[in-house]
Amino acid sequence: MWWSNLFAGMSPANFFNFSFLPKYLSFFVQGLEYTLLLSIISVGLAVIPALALALMRLSRNKFVRNLSGAYIAVFRSTPMMVQLYIIFYGLFSVIKIPSVVILGFIDLSRFIPGVVALSLNSSAYVAEIIRAGILAVDQGQTEAARCLGLTQGQAMRYVVLPQAIKNIIPTLANELVTMVKESSIVGYLGVQDLMWGTRTTVGATFIPLSPYVLAAAIYFCINYPAGKAIELLERRMRRGDKQ
């Protein structure tokens, strides 16, 4: 393409040598799509076990409380890459996922283990987000619900959780932003995410810096506006509390 001449003569070590773009731009576009899809699905799926873990942490049963605490401690205290490898080479060596490609570039045999690993890890963090949101609701709300004849479970479902959601949503959105960055490790499984596309481009072109500069710029353009949007959401929620 004519615009590839703009990059002619640049040193491979140059921070702004984007001569690889005409040939490898599709790697970054598909990688971005893959990263966003992987992150959204992983955080979405993490909410379900996270809610159960949070309620278990608030249980009066010591065994249930400790079981949930152990799960959260293990996943929060070990590297995500270690968890990823254990799940991929351990769990999914027993559970075979067919190598089916969807949307033209998503291999389910790699995508599903990646989603499972990220979801299990994220659920430990989301569980603490939900627990903190529940504890932020005034205890008097539960007592008032019990006085009206609601059971503990009904009070939690109809009174506490709806109020806790307002506390949870901004922090949960932050977890999604974090997941966009942390999902980059699935590239080590051969998943064609943004970082996989970046490393492949570096290996094929021997341009060591510019592909990573481009990847960093893409991550920034996703996460920085998302962070600002979350801040705006939090301010609006606080304004509603004051009113």
Side-chain angles (χ1 to χ4, degrees):
M1 296 178 65
W2 66 268
W3 55 283
S4 63
N5 294 328
L6 294 173
F7 309 112
M10 286 189 174
S11 166
N14 193 299
F15 270 89
F16 304 103
N17 178 8
F18 298 113
S19 57
F20 59 86
L21 277 177
K23 187 175 182 180
Y24 295 99
L25 180 61
S26 61
F27 282 19
F28 290 86
V29 174
Q30 288 187 351
L32 174 59
E33 294 173 353
Y34 206 124
T35 295
L36 292 176
L37 183 64
L38 186 69
S39 303
I40 293 170
I41 292 177
S42 296
V43 173
L45 291 178
V47 171
I48 301 172
L51 178 59
L53 288 167
L55 294 177
M56 289 169 67
R57 285 277 283 161
L58 296 171
S59 173
R60 295 177 181 176
N61 186 299
K62 186 176 180 180
F63 173 77
V64 171
R65 191 168 61 249
N66 289 342
L67 183 64
S68 173
Y71 176 97
I72 292 171
V74 167
F75 277 91
R76 294 184 67 178
S77 304
T78 56
M80 186 184 289
M81 184 170 288
V82 173
Q83 300 166 20
L84 179 70
Y85 282 149
I86 290 174
I87 290 170
F88 183 73
Y89 293 109
L91 177 62
F92 284 95
S93 66
V94 178
I95 303 173
K96 299 295 183 181
I97 305 295
S99 184
V100 177
V101 177
I102 61 173
L103 302 179
F105 62 98
I106 296 178
D107 184 351
L108 291 182
S109 66
R110 306 279 176 172
F111 182 78
I112 292 177
V115 166
V116 170
L118 293 175
S119 296
L120 291 177
N121 178 275
S122 182
S123 65
Y125 292 90
V126 175
E128 290 296 272
I129 292 171
I130 294 174
R131 184 172 74 93
I134 291 173
L135 291 176
V137 177
D138 192 282
Q139 183 64 29
Q141 298 289 321
T142 302
E143 294 172 357
R146 296 302 304 276
C147 289
L148 292 173
L150 273 66
T151 65
Q152 185 69 30
Q154 289 173 331
M156 179 64 68
R157 179 179 177 183
Y158 296 114
V159 178
V160 178
L161 281 179
Q163 296 181 67
I165 287 174
K166 188 169 66 172
N167 302 322
I168 293 168
I169 287 177
T171 316
L172 188 61
N174 273 317
E175 175 65 17
L176 178 58
V177 171
T178 301
M179 182 59 68
V180 171
K181 296 180 290 184
E182 293 184 345
S183 65
S184 61
I185 67 167
V186 300
Y188 290 103
L189 299 182
V191 170
Q192 296 180 27
D193 72 326
L194 183 55
M195 285 307 299
W196 179 92
T198 303
R199 287 192 295 269
T200 301
T201 301
V202 170
T205 62
F206 301 103
I207 300 175
L209 293 177
S210 298
Y212 288 107
V213 171
L214 178 59
I218 293 172
Y219 279 116
F220 179 84
C221 290
I222 296 169
N223 293 325
Y224 183 75
K228 289 299 180 182
I230 292 167
E231 289 178 8
L232 178 62
L233 177 63
E234 289 176 336
R235 285 198 299 270
R236 291 199 171 188
M237 285 186 169
R238 285 197 299 269
R239 191 184 307 141
D241 290 340
K242 291 177 182 178
Q243 293 174 350

